[in-house]
C-alpha cells in the first residue's frame, strides 16, 4: 500500500511502525531545475524506525513494507550493490563461527569481526531473495539443520569472509569470498543469484575451477537447456539480462531516442510508459527503480513516451545519470529508501528518506541496510517452514493410512480363515466319535452331523487313521483359535489408529495457508505429536541417531547389545520406503548401508536391485517366505534404485534385479562391493519416485 501521504504542511512516512515528519512537503509538485534537484537533502530515518519487528507481527508489518501493487519490495541490482557495500565495509574480514539453514531458502552465517559479532543472511526465496547483514542466526538443533545448511557449515565454518561484491556488472549475482586467514588466498565462494523464481545459492571451490560443492537446489539437463547447475560440475554464470549497458548513453537526446525506439515495439499504450520502456531498454533497471527515477525527476507517474517533453526527458536523464554514477562508484553516503515503490537508491533523491548511519553494535540487526531488508523480508522463511512441514505431515499421515489399510486387509484375511476353527472342531469330534466305522486304508469315514443328525462323509488321512487325523485337526483348531484371539485386538488397534490419523489429516487440511505464527506453531505441534506416536520420523542431521537412541534406551533400561545393537547400527545407514503393497524397501545410504542391505538383511525370498553400469545404492524389496513380488512393487523398487544413483537425471535407466542368494562379496573386496551371478533387467524411471525419495 502507498504509505507516503501529502498534506498542506508536511509528509508522514512510515518505516516499520514509527512515524517521521519533515517540516515541509518535498513531494508537492513544484518546478525544480536539475542543479537544484541534485542539492535536495532527503529526510533521514532514525535507527529506531529500522528496528527488527517483534515476532508474531509479520503479516501486519509486512503490509506496510510492500509496494502500492502489493508486491514485495524490490531487491534489484542497486539494492545488491548497496547491501554488498555495507557487508564489505562493516563485516570484512570476519571469521565464520556457524552456518545455519533456518528454512528451505535461507542461510544465516554467524560471524565475528574485530568490533564484535555480526551475521549475514543469504536468501534465494522465489519472491524475496536478498543478501544482507542481519540479526544473529537462530539456534538450530542438529536434527533441524537442512542438507544445504549442513554442507555449508562444514565448508565455511572457521573460514574468514574476505570480500563481498557483485559477481557481474548490472546483474543480480552476489559473490562472497572466503579464505583461511585475512589477506590470504580465496578458497571458497558463496554465490547468490537473485533472479525471481530462478534464484539459487552455490558454494564453489575457488581452487578447483569453481566446482560446485553445494547448492540450494540442483538444475539438471532435463530441467534446462541453458546451463547445468549441479554438485560436481563447474559453475556457469547466468545469461546476460536483456537491454543495454546503462553507461552506453552519453546525453539526454540519446536517452530519449532509445526510449522512443523501445516504445515503437510495444503494442499497448500502457506499455509505452517511460518507466516500462526504461526497464526494457537498460540492464540493471527494475520496475520499481524506473518508477522511482521518474518520481525523483518530478515528472508525472506513468507518463507516456509520446507525451513527455524535452524538459521531462532532460530531468529523467539527470536522475538516471545520478543513479548510474552512484552505482558505479558504490556511493554509501546518501542511501535513500523509497517506501512507496520499495526501492533503495544510492543518491540523494526527493523520492524517499535517507537511512541512518550504522549503529556501533551490529549484532542486533546488522547495518541500516541489513536492518531495512530484515524488516522487509525477515519472516518470509516462516511461510516456507509452514508449507514444508505441512506437506511432510500430510505425506506421512497418508502413507501411514495406506500402510494401515494394507495391514487391516491382511488381518481380515487371517481372521476369516481363523473363524473356521469351530467347523474343524466338529469334524475332529465326529472322527473320534465314529472311528469304529473306519475301514483301514480308507480316505473317508461315514459319520452323523451332531446338529442335524444327517449322515456326512469326513476326509481321513489314510496314513494317520481317524484318530491321527482328528488330533491334527485339534492342533489346527487350537492354532486358529490363538490366531483369532491375537488378531482381534490388533484389528481394533489398527481401526483406532486409522480414526486418529484421519482426524489429524482433517485438522491439517483445514489450515491451508500461513496467516500467523500460530499456524506454524500448530503445524509444529502436530509434527511433534506424530513423531512421538511413531507415525513420522524426525528430519535433518542426527535424526537417525535420535531414532536409534530412542529405540535402544528406554526408561529404567540399559542400551541394547549384541545382535540387536548391531542391527540398530546397520539400520541407521539404511533408508526405508514403503512399496505400493505395503512391503518395505531398504535402500543403502552409504557403503556400510549397502553391505548391510545386500549381505545381512537380504533373504532368498527378497528381490535385490542395483542400477546397471553406474554407482548407486543397493536396494532390496522385502518379501515374506513364500511370497512373490508384484509388478507394481518391482517397478517401485527399481525406480528407487535408479533415483539413488548417478543416473538420477536420466529419464529411463536400466536396473538389474535378482535374488539376494546370487549376490556375494568377493574375497578382499572393499566395504559395500559385491558381484551377482544371475540378473534380470527392468527399465526404471527415477522421476516417478522423485517426490517420495527427496522427502526422505
Amino acid at each position: 500500500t502507498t504509505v507516503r501521504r501529502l498534506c498542506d504542511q508536511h509528509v508522514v512516512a512510515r518505516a516499520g511502525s514509527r512515524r517521521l515528519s519533515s517540516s515541509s512537503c518535498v513531494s508537492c509538485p513544484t518546478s525544480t531545475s536539475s542543479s537544484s534537484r541534485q542539492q535536495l537533502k532527503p529526510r533521514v530515518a532514525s535507527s529506531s524506525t529500522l528496528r527488527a519487528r517483534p515476532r508474531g507481527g509479520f503479516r501486519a508489518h509486512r503490509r506496510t513494507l510492500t509496494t502500492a501493487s502489493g508486491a514485495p519490495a524490490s531487491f534489484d541490482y542497486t539494492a545488491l550493490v548497496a547491501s554488498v557495500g555495507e557487508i564489505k565495509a562493516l563485516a570484512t574480514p570476519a571469521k565464520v563461527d556457524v552456518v545455519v539453514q533456518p528454512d528451505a531458502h535461507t542461510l544465516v552465517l554467524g560471524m565475528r569481526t574485530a568490533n564484535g559479532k555480526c551475521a549475514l543472511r543469504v536468501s534465494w526465496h522465489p519472491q524475496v531473495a536478498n543478501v544482507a547483514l542481519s540479526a544473529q542466526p537462530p539456534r538450530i538443533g542438529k536434527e533441524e539443520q537442512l542438507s544445504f545448511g549442513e554442507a555449508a557449515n562444514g565448508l565455511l565454518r572457521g573460514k574468514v569472509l574476505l570480500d563481498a561484491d557483485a559477481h557481474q556488472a548490472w546483474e543480480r549475482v552476489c559473490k562472497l569470498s572466503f579464505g583461511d586467514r585475512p589477506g590470504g588466498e580465496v578458497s571458497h565462494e558463496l554465490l547468490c543469484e537473485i533472479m525471481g523464481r530462478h534464484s539459487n545459492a552455490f558454494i564453489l571451490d575457488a581452487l578447483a575451477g569453481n566446482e560446485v560443492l553445494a547448492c540450494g537446489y540442483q538444475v539438471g539437463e532435463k530441467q534446462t537447456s541453458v546451463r547445468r547447475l549441479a554438485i560436481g560440475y563447474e559453475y556457469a554464470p547466468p545469461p546476460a539480462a536483456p537491454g543495454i549497458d546503462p553507461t552506453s548513453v552519453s546525453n539526454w537526446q540519446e536517452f530519449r531516442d532509445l526510449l522512443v525506439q523501445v516504445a515503437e515495439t510495444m503494442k499497448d499504450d500502457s506499455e509505452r510508459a517511460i518507466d516500462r520502456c526504461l526497464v526494457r531498454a537498460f540492464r540493471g533497471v527494475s520496475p520499481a527503480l524506473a518508477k522511482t527515477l521518474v518520481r525523483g525527476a518530478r515528472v508525472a507517474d506513468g507518463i507516456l513516451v509520446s507525451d513527455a517533453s524535452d524538459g521531462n526527458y532532460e530531468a529523467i536523464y539527470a536522475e538516471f545519470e545520478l543513479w548510474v554514477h552512484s552505482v558505479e562508484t558504490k556511493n554509501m553516503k546518501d542511501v535513500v529508501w523509497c517506501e512507496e515503490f520499495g526501492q533503495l537508491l544510492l543518491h540523494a533523491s526527493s523520492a524517499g528518506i535517507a537511512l541512518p548511519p550504522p549503529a556501533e553494535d551490529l549484532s542486533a540487526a546488522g547495518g541500516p541496510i541489513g536492518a531495512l531488508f530484515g524488516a522487509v523480508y525477515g519472516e518470509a522463511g516462516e511461510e516456507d517452514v509452514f508449507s514444508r512441514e505441512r506437506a511432510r505431515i500430510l505425506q506421512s499421515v497418508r502413507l501411514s493410512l495406506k500402510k494401515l489399510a494394507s495391514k487391516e486387509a491382511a488381518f481380515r484375511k487371517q481372521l476369516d480363515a481363523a473363524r473356521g476353527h469351530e467347523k474343524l472342531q466338529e469334524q475332529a469330534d465326529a472322527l473320534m466319535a465314529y472311528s469304529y466305522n473306519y475301514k483301514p486304508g480308507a480316505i473317508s469315514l461315514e459319520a452323523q452331523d451332531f446338529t442335524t443328525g444327517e449322515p456326512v462323509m469326513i476326509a481321513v488321512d489314510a496314513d494317520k487313521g481317524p484318530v491321527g487325523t482328528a488330533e491334527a485337526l485339534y492342533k489346527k483348531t487350537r492354532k486358529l483359535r490363538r490366531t483369532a484371539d491375537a488378531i482381534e485386538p490388533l484389528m481394533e488397534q489398527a481401526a483406532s489408529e486409522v480414526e486418529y490419523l484421519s482426524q489429524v489429516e482433517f485438522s491439517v487440511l483445514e489450515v491451508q495457508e500461513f496467516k500467523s505464527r500460530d499456524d506454524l506453531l500448530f503445524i509444529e505441534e502436530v509434527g511433534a505429536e506424530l513423531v512421538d506416536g511413531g507415525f513420522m520420523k524426525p528430519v535433518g542431521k542426527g535424526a537417525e541417531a535420535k531414532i536409534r537412541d530412542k529405540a535402544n534406551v528406554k526408561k529404567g533400561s540399559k542400551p541394547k547389545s549384541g545382535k540387536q545393537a548391531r542391527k540398530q547400527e546397520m539400520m541407521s545407514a539404511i533408508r526405508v520406503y514403503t512399496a505400493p503393497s505395503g512391503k518395505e524397501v531398504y535402500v543403502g545410504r552409504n557403503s556400510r548401508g549397502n553391505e548391510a542391505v545386500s549381505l545381512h538383511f537380504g533373504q532368498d525370498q527378497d528381490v535385490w536391485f542395483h542400477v546397471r553400469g553406474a554407482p548407486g545404492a543397493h536396494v532390496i524389496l522385502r518379501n515374506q517366505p513364500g511370497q512373490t513380488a508384484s509388478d507394481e512393487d518391482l517397478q517401485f523398487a527399481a525406480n528407487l534404485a535408479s533415483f539413488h544413483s548417478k543416473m538420477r537425471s536420466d529419464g529411463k535407466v536400466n536396473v538389474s534385479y535378482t535374488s539376494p542368494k546370487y549376490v556375494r562379496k568377493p574375497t578382499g573386496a572393499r566395504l559395500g562391493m559385491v558381484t551377482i551371478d544371475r540378473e534380470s533387467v527392468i527399465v526404471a524411471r527415477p522421476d516417478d519416485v522423485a517426490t517420495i525419495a527427496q522427502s526422505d
Side-chain angles (χ1 to χ4, degrees), residues 338-360:
C338 178
E339 194 168 358
E340 179 175 354
F341 301 125
Q343 179 62 46
L344 200 71
L345 298 175
L346 299 182
H347 65 276
S349 172
S350 62
I353 58 175
L355 298 187
E360 294 182 2

Side-chain angles (χ1 to χ4, degrees), residues 370-415:
L372 172 68
F373 285 110
V376 175
Y377 303 131
E379 295 289 344
E382 290 193 346
E383 293 186 56
D384 295 328
V385 174
F386 170 84
S387 300
R388 185 179 70 250
E389 287 301 300
R390 181 178 181 273
R392 191 169 73 91
I393 287 172
L394 288 174
Q395 183 184 23
S396 299
V397 168
R398 288 164 179 169
L399 181 60
S400 296
L401 287 171
K402 187 175 181 180
K403 291 171 67 175
L404 286 171
S406 300
K407 189 184 293 186
E408 279 188 316
F411 286 157
R412 195 173 293 108
K413 186 176 180 181
Q414 290 178 314
L415 194 59

Side-chain angles (χ1 to χ4, degrees), residues 548-562 564-565 568:
R548 185 169 65 251
D549 293 342
K550 187 175 181 179
N552 285 345
V553 183
K554 298 181 180 179
K555 289 185 177 180
S557 65
K558 296 181 179 180
K560 296 179 181 179
S561 59
Q564 290 180 323
Q568 293 290 348

Side-chain angles (χ1 to χ4, degrees), residues 414 583 601-607 621-629:
Q414 290 178 314
K583 296 178 181 178
F601 289 105
Q603 303 295 321
D604 291 353
Q605 70 272 8
D606 298 335
V607 187
L621 171 63
R622 309 209 69 185
N623 290 314
Q624 294 297 323
Q627 288 185 338
T628 57

Side-chain angles (χ1 to χ4, degrees), residues 17-29:
S17 60
R18 308 266 181 178
R19 292 189 175 183
L20 305 172
S21 299
S22 62
S23 59
S24 61
C25 181
V26 298
S27 295
C28 293

Side-chain angles (χ1 to χ4, degrees), residues 245-391:
D245 190 319
T247 62
S248 59
V249 292
S250 57
N251 55 63
W252 70 269
Q253 290 91 346
E254 292 181 7
F255 178 79
R256 176 198 59 196
D257 294 343
L258 178 61
L259 295 183
V260 170
Q261 292 177 12
V262 172
E264 290 175 351
T265 64
M266 305 296 185
K267 296 181 179 180
D268 299 332
D269 285 343
S270 61
E271 296 180 349
R272 296 187 180 123
I274 287 182
D275 58 298
R276 292 202 174 191
C277 293
L278 276 170
V279 175
R280 289 181 174 268
F282 298 101
R283 293 203 302 270
V285 178
S286 64
L289 174 63
K291 293 177 181 179
T292 305
L293 294 178
V294 173
R295 173 70 64 80
R298 305 304 183 97
V299 176
D301 295 343
I303 188 172
L304 300 180
V305 169
S306 58
D307 295 338
S309 64
D310 288 349
N312 294 142
Y313 281 113
E314 186 177 1
I316 296 174
Y317 178 70
E319 192 76 9
F320 180 81
E321 269 193 314
L322 288 174
W323 167 72
V324 172
H325 178 73
S326 66
V327 171
E328 284 191 306
T329 59
K330 299 179 175 59
N331 172 48
M332 301 297 294
K333 296 180 180 179
D334 299 315
V335 181
V336 173
W337 172 248
C338 178
E339 194 168 358
E340 179 175 354
F341 301 125
Q343 179 62 46
L344 200 71
L345 298 175
L346 299 182
H347 65 276
S349 172
S350 62
I353 58 175
L355 298 187
E360 294 182 2
D361 181 12
L362 299 180
S363 63
I369 296 174
L372 172 68
F373 285 110
V376 175
Y377 303 131
E379 295 289 344
E382 290 193 346
E383 293 186 56
D384 295 328
V385 174
F386 170 84
S387 300
R388 185 179 70 250
E389 287 301 300
R390 181 178 181 273

